[in-house]
Each structure stands twice: as structure tokens, then as C-alpha cells.
């Protein structure tokens, strides 16, 4: 999105170069003043990096970030796996929080085989929700493995297939595949779809469309560390599609655009 201009509206007046990337894993080599005793030089950590900042994003050998955006890496995970957690899991967490569906309620998730969608299924199950995700036939077992209660076929007509399982519509929906207007019919009157690319509606039937952006929570240290603990206790599954050397970033972008990845692409700057 950054490379193709999708974030230009958030970067008025900025000049090239733009450095992409919101997730990083590595070792702390320097601490600024006022960071307290939570972090230490040599500590293995993960961080969220704001690519719209003047310093740019995480495609770098070294990054400087607010201490609030840094937490310990998951115990037992290597750096590539550890680096796949924060941005997508935080997005899923913020989306579910926006839905405010109570324990025992039902939510739907589109793009459930993807990184955000997969985390949304796992996090929803962890708080006692019934989850109806969509998936291509080849991904059905993968998505069931995240804990999904029902899986409907993705593609045209997915909203009707969700309605077949929830005749009154679902009170909350995480739109991981950004279907926007196409998925609104699956939502109950007065319900909430959480949208990940800034779409805010309008929608009829009292439906409240809620845009969700990961930067809104990237300095919530306690929230980020809770995601790390959930990765450690098995609630969240870290998925690496492939690790590529940093000088193959262009290839990584082509792979991402082609779709069909199970997990995150990771660039290695070590």
C-alpha cells in the first residue's frame, strides 16, 4: 500500500525516500533517557515501527522507536517468527474490541486464512465467541485449526452463506479481506463491521462501520505484551511464509501481490 500510494493521504508534504515496514524483531543496542528498567541492552525484542514517521519504517538494519512500542520477543521463537506478531495481532485485537460482542456471541471473519484474519479467529475464540470465518476450499482445514466453529466458502455470495448460519446476521464482523460493501449484508441490524483500510461506510439498517488502524494501539505497551504472552501460551500462532534476504525486498513485494501466502514474508537484515 505504501509503495503504490495507498498511504499518501497520511503523509502530506513528505518527500522520498519512503521506508516501508511496521514490524521488527532484533536486539536492543542502545537505550535513550527515560526508558526505565523494563528494557535492557542485549534484550531480544519485537517492535512496532511507524513508517509514516520522519525516520521511516522497519526495512532497515537499525531502527529507532519509542520504548512504548517495544516488548520482549516470544520465548522460544526465532527472530523471523517473532517479527510476524505485533502489527497483525494488534489489528485483530483492536477490531474485536471495536465490535464489543459479549461472551457467547457470534462474529464473522473474512480473509481468515490471512495474517489478520487468522489472529482474529484465535483471539475471538479465546474470549468465548462463536466464529464464522470464510476460506477457500484449500484453506478450510487451516482455518478450522485456528478454532473456527463453522467455515463458509469465500467468494461471491459469502454474506448469504454467513446468513445461512446466522439468520438474523452477525452482530460483529472483522473484514480481514476488505470486502466493505459486499460483506455488510452479513451484519445484523445495528451491528458493527470492523474495516481495516479506512472505509467508514455509510451503511444502512443502523449498522456502525468502524475503521481500525494498527497505529492507534502501537504505544499500548501492556496490550502489546499481552499479545506476546498469548503467542507464548499458544493462543496465537506465529506463521512465517518465507524468509528472504533484505536485498530481495522487490521479490517479496511481488510474492505478496500474487496472494495465496500462508503467513508473513520476512526480510532478513542480519
Amino acid at each position: 500500500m505504501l509503495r503504490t500510494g495507498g498511504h499518501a493521504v497520511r503523509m502530506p508534504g513528505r518527500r522520498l525516500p519512503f521506508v516501508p515496514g511496521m514490524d521488527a524483531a532484533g536486539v536492543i543496542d542502545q537505550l535513550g533517557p527515560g526508558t526505565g528498567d523494563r528494557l535492557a541492552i542485549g534484550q531480544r525484542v519485537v517492535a512496532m515501527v511507524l513508517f509514516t514517521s520522519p525516520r521511516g519504517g522497519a526495512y532497515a538494519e537499525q531502527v529507532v522507536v519509542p520504548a512504548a512500542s517495544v516488548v520482549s520477543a516470544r520465548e522460544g521463537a526465532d527472530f523471523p517468527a517473532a517479527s510476524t506478531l505485533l502489527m497483525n495481532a494488534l489489528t485483530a485485537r483492536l477490531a474485536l474490541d471495536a465490535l464489543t460482542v459479549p461472551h457467547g456471541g457470534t462474529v464473522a471473519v473474512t480473509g481468515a486464512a490471512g495474517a489478520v484474519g487468522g489472529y482474529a479467529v484465535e483471539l475471538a475464540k479465546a474470549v468465548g465467541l462463536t466464529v464464522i470465518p470464510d476460506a477457500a476450499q484449500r484453506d478450510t482445514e487451516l482455518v478450522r485449526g485456528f478454532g473456527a466453529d463453522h467455515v463458509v466458502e469465500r467468494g461471491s455470495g459469502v454474506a448469504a452463506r454467513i446468513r445461512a448460519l446466522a439468520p438474523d446476521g452477525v452482530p460483529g464482523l472483522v473484514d480481514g479481506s476488505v470486502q466493505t460493501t459486499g460483506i455488510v449484508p452479513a451484519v445484523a441490524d445495528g451491528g458493527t463491521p470492523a474495516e481495516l483500510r479506512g472505509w467508514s461506510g455509510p451503511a444502512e439498517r443502523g449498522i456502525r462501520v468502524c475503521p481500525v488502524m494498527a497505529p492507534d494501539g502501537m504505544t499500548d505497551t501492556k496490550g502489546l505484551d499481552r499479545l506476546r504472552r498469548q503467542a507464548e501460551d499458544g493462543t496465537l500462532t506465529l506463521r512465517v511464509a518465507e524468509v528472504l534476504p533484505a536485498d530481495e525486498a522487490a521479490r517479496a513485494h511481488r510474492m505478496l501481490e500474487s496472494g495465496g501466502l500462508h503467513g508473513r514474508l520476512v526480510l532478513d537484515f542480519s
Side-chain angles (χ1 to χ4, degrees):
M1 285 185 68
L2 178 64
R3 177 174 52 79
T4 58
H7 289 291
V9 68
R10 299 179 185 89
M11 305 172 73
R14 287 285 305 282
R15 296 183 177 182
L16 292 167
F18 300 144
V19 181
M22 288 187 70
D23 275 317
V27 175
I28 295 176
D29 65 4
Q30 188 173 347
L31 288 169
T35 54
D37 57 4
R38 183 178 62 87
L39 303 172
I41 292 175
Q43 184 177 349
R44 299 175 71 257
V45 294
V46 290
M48 287 195 68
V49 187
L50 188 62
F51 60 82
T52 57
S53 74
R55 294 188 182 94
Y59 284 23
E61 196 169 351
Q62 293 180 301
V63 294
V64 178
V65 293
S69 299
V70 181
V71 295
S72 293
R74 198 203 83 170
E75 192 72 29
D78 60 17
F79 284 129
S83 74
T84 65
L85 175 65
L86 290 184
M87 180 182 71
N88 293 129
L90 176 62
T91 302
R93 175 74 274 153
L94 292 174
L96 289 168
D97 289 348
L99 303 184
T100 64
V101 177
H103 181 89
T106 300
V107 297
V109 178
T110 68
V116 174
Y119 284 144
V121 175
E122 292 180 322
L123 288 170
K125 291 304 300 177
V127 294
L129 299 177
T130 296
V131 187
I132 306 174
D134 73 351
Q137 186 173 1
R138 66 181 181 276
D139 295 328
T140 298
E141 290 308 310
L142 171 70
V143 173
R144 287 192 188 280
F146 299 148
D149 297 277
H150 312 277
V151 181
V152 299
E153 186 179 359
R154 65 175 293 181
S156 177
V158 66
R161 289 189 283 275
I162 293 172
R163 279 271 182 171
L165 294 169
D168 294 330
V170 291
L173 182 145
V174 178
D175 191 12
S177 56
V178 197
Q179 299 185 41
T180 62
T181 56
I183 201 64
V184 168
V187 179
D189 295 358
T192 304
E195 292 294 333
L196 310 186
R197 298 284 175 85
W199 184 67
S200 57
E204 299 177 347
R205 300 186 285 113
I207 291 172
R208 177 181 64 93
V209 180
C210 184
V212 173
M213 303 298 287
D216 292 342
M218 64 188 301
T219 57
D220 175 11
T221 309
K222 289 184 179 179
L224 298 179
D225 198 50
R226 183 167 60 250
L227 294 172
R228 187 266 305 171
R229 294 196 304 271
Q230 289 179 303
E232 286 184 345
D233 68 21
T235 300
L236 296 174
T237 305
L238 304 181
R239 293 186 290 155
V240 177
E242 191 166 342
V243 181
L244 300 170
D247 59 8
E248 293 189 24
R251 178 185 165 212
H253 276 242
R254 287 192 291 269
M255 292 171 65
L256 187 61
E257 283 187 316
S258 296
L261 295 171
H262 289 161
R264 297 284 302 280
L265 292 168
V266 179
L267 297 178
D268 184 356
F269 284 82
S270 65

